[in-house]
Every structure is written in C-alpha cells, then in structure tokens.
C-alpha cells in the first residue's frame, strides 16, 4: 500500500436505499447493520442522509437514524451527509446534535447541506420555498452560534451550547465558497467529474479562513467506489443505481434498487439508455490492484485528507464484499 493511501481516512455514506421486494424498515436496519460491519473493518466515519418523499430512499430523518447507528456501534464516528439545513430551523438542528453529542460524546459529526426539498410538493409540505437555500451561509452561521451561545435572542440551545460537534459543509454549487468563508471542513464530489471537483477544491483552499472549528482546510472527496474480484463484477455493482438514476431522469421518480440481472433484461428507450450508460462511467470500479492505483492518482491530484464512499447497490453481500476489499487496500493487506 502506498504511504498516501495509508495517510488517508476512509469513511462511508449510506443512503438507506430501498430494494425491490424489500421494505423501508429493512433498508433502515440494513444501514445500522452495515455500520457495525464497517466499524469492524476500520472505517473512520459512517454517515446517513436526508431525503423526503423519495420511494427509493428510507432515510428521511438523519439525526434519528444517526442515533440508532451510534447506539449500535462503539468507536466509529457517526454523522449526517447531511442534514439539509434550509429544511429546518437552526435551533432545532443544534438541539438534535447537542443531544447526539451528549449521548455519544466525541463520536458525532454534523454534515450540513444546502439543498431544499426536490419537488414543489415536498417543499410545500416542509413549509419551505425554493429560494430559502440562498441564505445557507446565514443559516449556517446561526446554527454554529447556538453552540457558541452567541444568539441575540437570549435563548440558549440545550444541550448544544458549549459542546463541540465538528461541522462539515457539503459543497454543491456555492458550497466551496461558503465552507471556505466559514472556515469549515468541506465534502465535495464526485469522482466522475475530476476537473470540476478540483476547481472546487482549489477555490476552497485559496479562500479558506481559519476559524474556531478548523485552523486549516480539510477536504473530503466523495464518490462511488466498487471493488470486486474482476472488473466485470465491480461494474455489476453499479448497475442498479445507474438504472434507478436513469429512471428518475426520464420518469420523474426515484425507484427502489432492482437486481442487476433484472436491469440487464430491460428494454430501455434511447434517452433512458443514454442516462444509464452515463451512470456506469467515471466511477472507481475494478479489482483491488487497479482501484488502489486509481485511488493513489486521485489523492495525489486532490490532496484530500479523506475519502467518503457513497456506493449503493441491490446485492447487500456484494456491497459488503466491496467494502472488505477496499478495507484491505486501505489497511495495507491487499496484494496491491
């Protein structure tokens, strides 16, 4: 293993994707079970996501799910990738993370995004307008103020005030600028568009201002990584998610993950096939030796301190095997 890979932290974001024939409850329990398994493999963090009204995603309440994950594990850091701050009042978010940090001290991360509900119906149900995301920087400042006890309201966020929960900004759109200005660690993706990702990283490092939360820039790169015995098996791991994304682009709804063999038997329209094929390209998907080589290349290019793996697939055992193989690469036990 290269010294560069050895010096890099590897973490996982699990989106609690539902599977065809499965239930939301099974998807959520799979997330908790996966966290326990990845803790045993030495991964640094385990994050969960926030989606509302999406048929293919069971994770709608990330702080609740993070509590379940933290309660089922012992050492791995647990957090959100992320809480979509425009959907919530900053005080409530501070209170939720204050409770998490109080229950699981020193293990909680606060990953924060600026997306608002994906559809008009979801935004209406949340009581949010599309333009609320434009004030993400202000919402972020208010949230961090609750931990420092600086709110002008005279209200105190219990039990958050005085606690330190590491905040991370999910860099989408203006996220890199906001993370740099606030002096916070940044999560940026994805691996399929290296040039765009590199521009965001360079901008972040150039404009970073030290803060009480971080004295130096901290870059987490995120994306899909699939490792298998052969390149063909690694590619098969990508098929369910690639099809679900293509279906959502052509039908307007994001479905549960189907088995790869079911996707391979489908007849797709030209437009859907184009999205599907695009969804299979650009990821790190190969055998251990080749993935190790590609990882070293991207780490040299980006100088990232951490990699957040975001892989989703139908076959849970194959997914776990991929994480085992990746752990062999990162722990130095791979033949690479």
């Amino acid at each position: 293993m290269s010294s560069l890979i050895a010096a890099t932290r590897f973490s996982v974001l699990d989106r609690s994707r539902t599977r065809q024939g499965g239930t939301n409850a099974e998807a959520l329990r799979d997330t908790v079970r996966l966290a326990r398994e990845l803790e045993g493999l030495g991964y640094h963090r385990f994050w969960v996501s926030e989606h509302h009204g999406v048929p293919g995603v069971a994770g709608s309440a990330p702080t609740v799910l993070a509590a379940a994950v933290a309660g089922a594990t012992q050492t791995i850091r647990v957090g959100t990738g992320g809480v979509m701050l425009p959907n919530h009042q900053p005080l409530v978010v501070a209170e939720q993370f204050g409770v998490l940090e109080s229950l699981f001290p020193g293990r909680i991360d606060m990953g924060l995004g600026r997306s608002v509900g994906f559809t008009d119906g979801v935004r209406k149900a949340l009581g949010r307008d599309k333009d609320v995301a434009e004030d993400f920087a202000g919402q972020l400042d208010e949230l961090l103020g609750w931990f420092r006890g600086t709110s002008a309201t005279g209200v105190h966020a219990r039990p958050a005030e005085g606690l330190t929960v590491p905040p991370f900004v999910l860099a989408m759109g203006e996220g890199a600028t906001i993370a740099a200005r606030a002096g916070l660690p940044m999560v940026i993706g994805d691996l399929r568009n290296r040039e765009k990702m590199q521009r965001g990283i360079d901008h972040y490092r150039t404009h970073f201002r030290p803060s009480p939360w971080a004295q130096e820039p901290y870059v987490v790169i995120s994306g899909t990584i699939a490792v298998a015995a052969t390149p063909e098996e690694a590619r098969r791991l990508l098929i369910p998610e690639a099809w679900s994304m293509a279906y959502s682009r052509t039908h307007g709804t994001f479905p549960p993950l189907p088995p790869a063999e079911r996707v391979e038997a489908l007849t797709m329209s030209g437009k859907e096939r184009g999205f599907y094929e695009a969804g299979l390209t650009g990821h790190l998907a190969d055998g251990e030796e080749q993935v190790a080589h590609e990882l070293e290349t991207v780490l040299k290019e980006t100088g990232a301190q951490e990699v957040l793996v975001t892989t989703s697939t139908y076959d849970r055992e194959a997914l776990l095997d991929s994480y085992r193989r990746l752990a062999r690469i990162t722990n130095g036990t791979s033949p690479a």
Side-chain angles (χ1 to χ4, degrees):
M1 176 181 60
S2 76
S3 58
L4 190 55
I5 291 176
T8 304
R9 291 167 167 167
F10 284 82
S11 302
V12 171
L13 166 65
D14 188 70
R15 293 191 174 90
S16 303
R17 293 286 276 112
T18 55
R19 294 165 172 81
Q20 282 187 4
T23 65
N24 289 323
E26 287 169 342
L28 294 169
R29 292 188 185 108
D30 281 346
T31 290
V32 176
R33 192 177 304 118
L34 181 62
R36 286 199 298 263
E37 290 160 337
L38 296 183
E39 179 177 62
L41 293 172
Y43 284 89
H44 183 62
R45 307 180 204 276
F46 187 90
W47 283 5
V48 296
S49 62
E50 175 183 339
H51 296 274
H52 299 284
V54 180
V57 183
S60 57
T63 54
V64 176
L65 186 52
V69 169
T73 54
Q74 299 294 323
T75 57
I76 195 168
R77 296 193 64 86
V78 177
T80 56
V83 164
M84 295 301 141
L85 196 50
N87 291 338
H88 310 281
Q89 292 295 336
L91 170 61
V92 176
V93 175
E95 290 170 338
Q96 290 173 347
F97 278 99
V99 170
L100 283 170
E101 176 64 21
S102 298
L103 291 171
F104 308 101
R107 290 180 57 206
I108 301 300
D109 299 321
M110 187 167 57
L112 305 163
R114 67 189 296 268
S115 293
V116 71
F118 291 134
T119 67
D120 289 340
V122 169
R123 287 191 290 271
K124 184 177 180 180
L126 290 170
R128 294 292 185 266
D129 295 322
K130 185 181 292 188
D131 60 2
V132 71
E134 299 305 313
D135 191 35
F136 177 65
Q139 296 156 0
L140 183 62
D141 187 59
E142 180 183 344
L143 171 62
L144 299 181
W146 288 116
F147 287 91
R148 296 193 299 265
T150 57
S151 173
T153 64
V155 175
H156 297 274
R158 315 281 188 202
E161 189 173 310
L163 297 180
T164 300
V165 182
F168 295 74
V169 172
L170 276 60
M172 295 177 289
E174 297 178 13
T177 298
I178 294 168
R181 188 181 301 138
L184 300 181
M186 177 185 70
V187 183
I188 188 167
D190 64 31
L191 295 171
R192 290 182 299 171
N193 193 337
R194 306 277 183 87
E195 289 186 10
K196 182 179 179 182
M197 185 172 70
Q198 191 64 55
R199 287 196 300 271
I201 292 170
D202 292 343
H203 180 88
Y204 167 71
R205 289 201 175 107
T206 299
H207 295 89
F208 182 86
R209 301 176 184 174
S211 75
W213 303 95
Q215 290 300 300
E216 297 177 347
Y218 188 90
V219 174
V220 184
I221 56 173
S222 68
T224 295
I225 302 176
V227 195
T230 66
E232 293 74 24
E233 290 178 52
R235 185 181 183 276
R236 278 181 68 80
L237 283 168
L238 306 178
I239 287 175
E241 183 78 3
W243 178 81
S244 291
M245 290 296 295
Y247 188 90
S248 72
R249 297 287 297 275
T250 52
H251 293 77
T253 184
F254 197 64
L257 295 172
E261 57 269 20
R262 190 168 298 171
V263 175
E264 291 170 327
L266 290 173
T267 300
M268 302 183 200
S269 68
K271 186 177 182 181
E272 189 175 4
R273 173 69 63 179
F275 285 131
Y276 169 68
E277 294 293 343
L280 293 172
T281 62
H283 306 289
L284 271 61
D286 215 316
E288 289 176 46
E289 188 171 353
Q290 185 58 29
V291 167
H293 174 73
E294 292 184 33
L295 270 174
E296 185 163 8
T297 298
V298 74
L299 290 172
K300 283 180 179 176
E301 289 173 355
T302 62
Q305 288 98 329
E306 188 168 342
V307 177
L308 182 68
V309 187
T310 62
T311 310
S312 297
T313 194
Y314 177 88
D315 187 335
R316 192 180 173 282
E317 287 306 312
L319 178 64
L320 182 56
D321 180 66
S322 175
Y323 281 127
R324 287 194 188 107
R325 291 175 182 273
L326 179 59
R328 287 209 292 265
I329 295 170
T330 62
N331 294 335
T333 56
S334 168

